[in-house]
């Protein structure tokens, strides 16, 4: 393969690796797919000089069009012009890759592909970024070396240079050293908080996951709720326990105002939630600590087990708790945070002993729109004869859970998509209907209540010991106010029918072991690479110091500690380092002719037999010395050396017959040397 062609394909491979790193964070955008097709074409099609001129002209027109688009977006639409900048970068990279092989655009190709790799870090790169980065380093190292050889060959007018496998192997080994040095620098140097993220996953834009916007509606009709296996967040328990899934209510947003079909939050509500220390003092028990990674797309709310006592951000976000107790965040970074929650729900005896005093006038958690009178009569009939607030709540809850069923099918028409139709005609619906019904019926009885959205449960991933919470786990329930206790969650949704409906509609996609393994890999990448900060760095260095000092078992075990590598991993790393060292120290073998290889084999055979061969000795001197020493096979060796000299220095073409004669002489020499080892007289002589 010509050096120019090899170099261009390596440059196209560099560009594809950088594009893969970009796609790992940006996703399969249309411009990414178009660029992949263009770079794939550059691997096999290369225009001549005339075609290169047309490519350059077309690229100029494309650049002008992209510049006009960028100016229009920036100054007319006053919107984000970064997509236009990225499109310009990708367009230039493809255009340069489709130039003629004689074009001197090496530095432009290097610079554009490296700029694309840097642009990939501005997004939230997935685990595919690691593989793409390693591929880019290897291809860049080999490509730059081949490019340098190509330019030197053109400078000294060398017609053809063959790049052998030893050269490529040594270059690849050098790239491996570069990757190892990059890893060492990543671990040693302190990390700065990630203050920017153009992808918008944290809520800067894009579609918001249902149930976590500013409003929640029960008025949708004519369709069915589709399964949503998108990962909302991942959670680790600090104590390593696995509490029952049915107890994990990941609280997100609460809504106080209901207009008959839609729940919303009143802005500027006064403080209506006890402080965290009050919850901890009243509920008692040990606190529960969760480390949460990520959040639903587009949502600005943080999640935690109720009641949330404290939120500790671990990434570059700022948190704010409003009057309703919801925790929102600001910043463009992906949310990573720890949540300290009070103990699990208080026992029923404590709730039953709580005061049932009437709430103050004007509380927002008793607001009701005009509703049919039979809803109020229903609430009175369900709570009749109940002496405590807890008994009233449980009576309504039991009725909803026993007389109704859960379904993902939405009502057929607007008339059926109402709370009245749910309670008296349909008697089936999704969790937002049950939450709305329980909240409204309690408010009819003068009990402050509010609708809450979040997630219920999740799926434990054994490949990492953490909880995967997806869109299929989105849920709604009710929080009821107890004056002496605070807000207490109650769920009126029939859990058995809910689980059956979710299973029937194929929402258990996480049952596949491959999905668990891949998500575990993604979680480790997020935890130890993207969220690697100064605290983790110091902890890792302390662990390394304890490991080498022999005091690694002293003291309590820190949570979140990087697991000690197993013996196969250590052996694999050692073998890889030894292979790289061997490739770097290995001397490249010279390209020998068949005659020269036979002559070298002759000298080595006599060296093994005890006849030293000084490096500076000429072939003729070597033959005379063998005759003078009466060495075994001396005559055959002289015949072989004569043929070698004719082919090497006299310029004669000995052909296949001459090479066959040399091989026959070599075989005769080996036979006589073996016979001399077996014959004691020859050895003595």
């Amino acid at each position: 393969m010509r050096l120019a062609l090899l170099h261009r394909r390596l440059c196209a491979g560099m560009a594809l690796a950088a594009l893969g790193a970009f796609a790992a964070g940006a996703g399969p955008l249309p411009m990414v797919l178009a660029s992949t097709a263009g770079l794939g074409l550059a691997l096999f099609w290369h225009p001549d000089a005339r075609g290169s001129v047309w490519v350059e002209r077309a690229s100029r027109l494309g650049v002008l069009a992209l510049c006009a688009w960028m100016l229009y977006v920036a100054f007319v639409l006053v919107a984000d012009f970064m997509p236009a900048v990225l499109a310009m970068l990708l367009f230039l990279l493809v255009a340069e890759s489709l130039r003629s092989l004689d074009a001197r655009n090496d530095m432009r190709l290097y610079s554009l592909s490296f700029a694309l790799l840097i642009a990939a870090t501005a997004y939230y790169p997935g685990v595919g970024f690691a593989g793409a980065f390693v591929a880019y380093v290897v291809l860049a190292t080999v490509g730059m070396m081949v490019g340098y050889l190509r330019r030197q060959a053109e400078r000294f007018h060398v017609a053809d240079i063959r790049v052998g496998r030893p050269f490529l192997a040594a270059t690849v080994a050098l790239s491996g050293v570069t990757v190892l040095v990059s890893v060492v620098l990543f671990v040693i140097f302190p990390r700065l908080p990630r203050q920017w993220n153009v992808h918008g996953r944290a809520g800067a834009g894009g579609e918001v996951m249902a149930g976590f916007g500013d409003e929640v509606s029960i008025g949708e009709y004519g369709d069915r709720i589709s399964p949503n296996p998108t990962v909302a967040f991942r959670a680790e328990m600090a104590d390593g326990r696995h509490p029952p899934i049915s107890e994990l209510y990941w609280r997100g947003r609460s809504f106080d105002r209901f207009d008959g079909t839609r729940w919303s939050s009143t802005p500027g509500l006064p403080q209506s939630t006890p402080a965290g220390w009050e919850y901890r003092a009243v509920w008692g028990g040990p606190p529960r600590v969760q480390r949460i990674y990520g959040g639903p797309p587009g949502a600005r709310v943080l999640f935690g087990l109720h009641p949330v006592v404290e939120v500790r951000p671990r990434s570059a976000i700022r948190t704010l708790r409003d009057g309703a107790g919801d925790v929102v965040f600001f910043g463009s970074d992906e949310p990573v945070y720890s949540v300290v929650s009070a103990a699990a729900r208080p026992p029923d005896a404590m709730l039953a002993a709580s005061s049932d005093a009437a709430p103050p006038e004007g509380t927002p958690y008793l607001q009701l729109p005009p509703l049919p009178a039979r809803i109020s009569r229903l609430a009175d009939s369900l709570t009749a004869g109940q002496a405590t607030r807890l008994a009233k709540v449980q009576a309504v809850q039991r009725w909803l859970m026993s007389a109704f069923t859960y379904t993902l099918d939405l009502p057929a028409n607007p008339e059926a998509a109402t709370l009245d139709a749910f309670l008296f005609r349909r008697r089936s619906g999704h969790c937002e209907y049950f939450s709305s019904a329980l909240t409204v019926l309690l408010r009819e009885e003068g009990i402050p209540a509010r609708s809450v959205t979040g997630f219920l449960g999740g799926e434990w991933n054994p490949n990492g010991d953490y909880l995967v919470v997806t869109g299929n786990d989105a849920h709604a329930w009710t929080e009821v106010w107890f004056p002496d206790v605070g807000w207490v969650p109650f769920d009126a949704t029939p859990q058995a029918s809910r689980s059956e409906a979710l299973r029937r509609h194929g929402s258990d996609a996480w049952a596949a072991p491959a999905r668990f393994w891949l998500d575990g890999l993604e979680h480790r990448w997020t935890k130890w690479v993207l969220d690697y900060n100064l605290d983790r760095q110091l902890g890792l260095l302390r662990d390394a110091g304890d490991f080498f000092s022999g005091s690694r078992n002293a003291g309590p075990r820190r949570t979140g500690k990087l697991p000690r590598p197993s013996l196969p991993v250590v052996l694999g790393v050692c073998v890889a380092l030894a292979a790289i060292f061997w490739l770097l120290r290995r001397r490249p073998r010279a390209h020998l002719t068949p005659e020269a290889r036979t002559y070298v084999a002759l000298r080595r055979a006599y060296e093994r037999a005890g006849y030293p061969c000084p490096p500076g000795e000429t072939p003729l001197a070597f033959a005379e010395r063998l005759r003078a020493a009466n060495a075994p096979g001396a005559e055959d060796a002289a015949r072989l050396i004569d043929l070698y000299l004719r082919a090497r220095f006299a310029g004669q073409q000995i052909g296949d017959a001459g090479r066959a004669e040399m091989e026959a002489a070599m075989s005769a020499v080996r036979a006589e040397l073996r016979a001399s080892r077996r014959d004691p007289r020859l050895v003595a002589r």
Side-chain angles (χ1 to χ4, degrees):
M1 185 185 299
R2 293 173 52 198
L3 277 180
L5 179 58
L6 176 61
H7 177 253
R8 180 58 58 84
R9 289 181 174 177
L10 288 171
C11 289
M14 290 169 53
L16 286 171
L19 188 62
F22 179 78
L29 302 176
M31 59 180 178
V32 172
L33 299 178
S35 302
T36 303
L39 294 174
L41 180 63
L43 292 172
F44 306 101
W45 179 75
H46 306 94
D48 54 12
R50 178 176 297 181
S52 181
V53 172
W54 285 104
V55 170
E56 185 173 359
R57 291 176 180 175
S59 63
R60 290 177 181 176
L61 293 176
V63 168
L64 291 176
L66 289 172
C67 287
W69 176 36
M70 190 188 321
L71 295 174
Y72 175 76
V73 172
F75 295 102
V76 178
L77 300 180
V78 194
D80 184 16
F81 59 89
M82 281 303 298
V85 175
L86 293 172
M88 175 83 73
L89 176 60
L90 293 172
F91 180 80
L92 290 175
L93 185 57
V94 173
E96 290 295 333
S97 300
L98 292 175
R99 296 280 300 276
S100 171
L101 294 178
D102 298 328
R104 292 181 172 271
N105 59 345
D106 300 4
M107 293 306 300
R108 289 195 292 273
L109 288 170
Y110 301 155
S111 302
L112 289 171
S113 61
F114 184 71
L116 182 59
L117 185 69
I118 295 299
T121 62
Y123 287 73
Y124 201 81
V127 68
F129 180 89
F133 175 78
V134 173
Y136 180 86
V137 171
V138 173
L139 292 171
T141 305
V142 179
M144 290 182 181
M145 293 291 288
V146 172
Y148 176 78
L149 287 178
R150 174 193 175 189
R151 296 308 174 195
Q152 291 300 311
E154 293 175 353
R155 176 184 176 186
F156 293 102
H157 306 287
V158 177
D160 187 21
I161 295 181
R162 294 184 178 273
V163 178
R165 293 181 180 178
F167 172 80
L168 293 177
T171 308
V172 171
L174 180 62
S175 66
V177 174
T178 304
V179 173
L180 289 178
V181 171
S182 302
V183 173
V184 171
L185 293 178
F186 174 83
V187 173
I188 293 178
F189 278 79
R191 304 267 70 84
L192 298 176
R194 184 181 171 91
Q195 299 284 356
W196 39 265
N197 186 347
V198 301
H199 192 274
R201 280 188 61 188
E207 185 178 356
V208 180
M209 181 176 283
F212 304 105
D214 296 331
E215 296 179 340
V216 172
S217 175
I218 61 173
E220 286 81 7
Y221 60 91
D223 202 349
R224 188 178 69 183
I225 300 176
S226 301
N228 182 11
T230 303
V231 176
F233 59 87
R234 302 174 178 91
E236 295 178 348
M237 299 298 176
D239 55 7
R241 298 179 181 177
H242 289 189
I245 294 297
S246 59
E247 298 179 2
L248 299 178
Y249 283 85
W250 303 98
R251 187 188 188 280
R253 303 204 63 164
S254 62
F255 304 93
D256 63 285
R257 187 167 187 81
F258 185 57
D259 65 1
T261 59
R262 192 178 305 273
W263 288 94
S264 60
S265 299
T266 303
L269 278 177
Q271 185 68 34
S272 61
T273 299
W277 64 269
E278 295 179 287
Y279 269 122
R280 179 181 291 180
V282 174
W283 290 39
R288 298 172 293 172
V289 182
Q290 317 110 54
R291 174 69 65 83
I292 298 179
Y293 299 85
R300 283 290 182 178
V301 62
L302 300 182
F303 297 84
L305 300 178
H306 181 77
V308 174
V309 175
E310 183 184 2
V311 176
R312 303 167 183 169
R314 310 295 297 183
S315 57
I317 58 174
R318 301 186 306 276
T319 62
L320 175 66
R321 180 178 296 194
D322 60 16
D326 302 348
V327 183
V328 297
F329 73 95
F330 305 92
S332 58
D333 198 5
E334 193 82 352
V336 178
Y337 52 99
S338 296
V339 177
V340 180
S341 303
R345 174 177 161 161
D348 289 348
M350 179 186 294
L351 298 178
S354 178
S355 171
D356 196 18
E361 293 292 334
T363 177
Y365 299 108
L366 290 177
Q367 173 271 334
L368 285 174
L371 295 172
R374 59 179 179 174
I375 294 181
S376 179
R377 293 195 297 269
L378 174 63
D380 293 337
S381 65
L382 291 174
T383 58
Q386 304 297 334
T388 65
R389 177 169 297 185
L390 175 63
K392 295 177 182 179
V393 174
Q394 289 178 338
V396 179
Q397 182 187 32
R398 283 194 300 269
W399 180 72
L400 289 172
M401 296 182 70
S402 59
F404 290 71
T405 58
Y406 181 91
T407 180
L408 292 174
D409 295 326
L410 296 175
N413 50 63
E415 291 75 20
T418 63
L419 184 62
D420 181 77
F422 169 73
L423 289 173
F424 297 100
R425 294 198 303 272
R426 294 185 63 224
R427 290 183 174 263
S428 66
H430 51 79
C431 56
E432 291 171 358
Y433 277 99
F434 288 92
S435 171
S436 300
L438 179 59
T439 305
V440 168
L441 291 174
L442 293 179
R443 288 187 178 187
E444 290 282 4
E445 294 302 304
I447 301 175
R450 61 188 182 187
S451 181
V452 175
T453 59
F455 295 90
L456 172 58
E459 187 108 18
W460 289 108
N461 189 339
N463 184 26
D465 195 25
Y466 65 94
L467 193 74
V468 182
V469 181
T470 69
N472 293 321
D473 303 312
H475 194 49
W477 60 93
T478 300
E479 286 182 350
V480 181
W481 174 255
F482 287 80
D484 301 329
V485 179
W487 291 102
V488 180
F490 287 87
D491 190 0
T493 304
Q495 293 304 317
S497 59
R498 176 179 180 268
S499 301
E500 175 61 23
L502 293 175
R503 186 196 62 79
R504 188 170 60 252
H505 287 287
S507 64
D508 54 349
W510 281 101
R515 295 290 299 275
F516 277 121
W517 186 86
L518 292 175
D519 190 75
L521 186 63
E522 182 75 23
H523 179 57
R524 287 180 174 86
W525 169 261
T526 302
K527 181 178 178 180
W528 294 108
V529 178
L530 299 184
D531 297 323
Y532 180 73
N533 52 23
L534 185 59
D535 292 338
R536 288 192 180 277
Q537 179 194 17
L538 295 177
L540 188 61
L541 294 177
R542 284 194 298 267
D543 293 340
D546 295 342
F547 181 84
F548 289 107
S549 64
S551 60
R552 56 185 179 273
N553 294 326
R557 177 181 174 88
R558 288 187 295 273
T559 59
K561 181 178 177 181
L562 184 66
R564 189 184 308 171
S566 60
L567 181 60
V569 173
V570 174
L571 292 177
V573 172
C574 293
V575 171
L577 292 176
I580 292 174
F581 179 78
W582 177 77
L583 289 173
L584 290 177
R585 292 292 304 271
R586 183 185 177 190
R587 296 180 179 179
R589 299 177 61 182
H591 294 284
L592 301 178
T593 62
E595 298 84 0
R597 283 198 296 270
T598 306
Y599 173 69
V600 171
L602 176 70
R603 293 176 63 92
R604 289 176 179 171
Y606 275 106
E607 281 184 336
R608 288 193 294 269
Y611 296 89
C613 301
E617 188 178 35
T618 63
L620 287 176
F622 178 51
E624 292 298 330
R625 186 164 58 83
L626 292 177
R627 286 197 184 98
N630 198 16
E635 296 301 326
D636 294 312
R639 182 161 54 92
L640 186 151
I641 291 173
D642 179 64
L643 292 171
Y644 165 68
L645 292 176
R646 292 181 186 180
R648 178 68 176 82
F649 297 104
Q652 297 182 8
Q653 298 293 333
I654 63 174
D656 294 337
R659 283 188 286 272
E661 186 177 354
M662 291 182 66
E663 291 294 338
M666 186 67 213
S667 300
V669 168
R670 289 195 178 101
E672 294 193 35
L673 288 175
R674 285 194 297 270
S676 67
R677 296 191 189 98
R678 294 192 298 267
D679 192 342
R681 293 173 299 175
L682 292 178
V683 173
R685 186 178 63 182

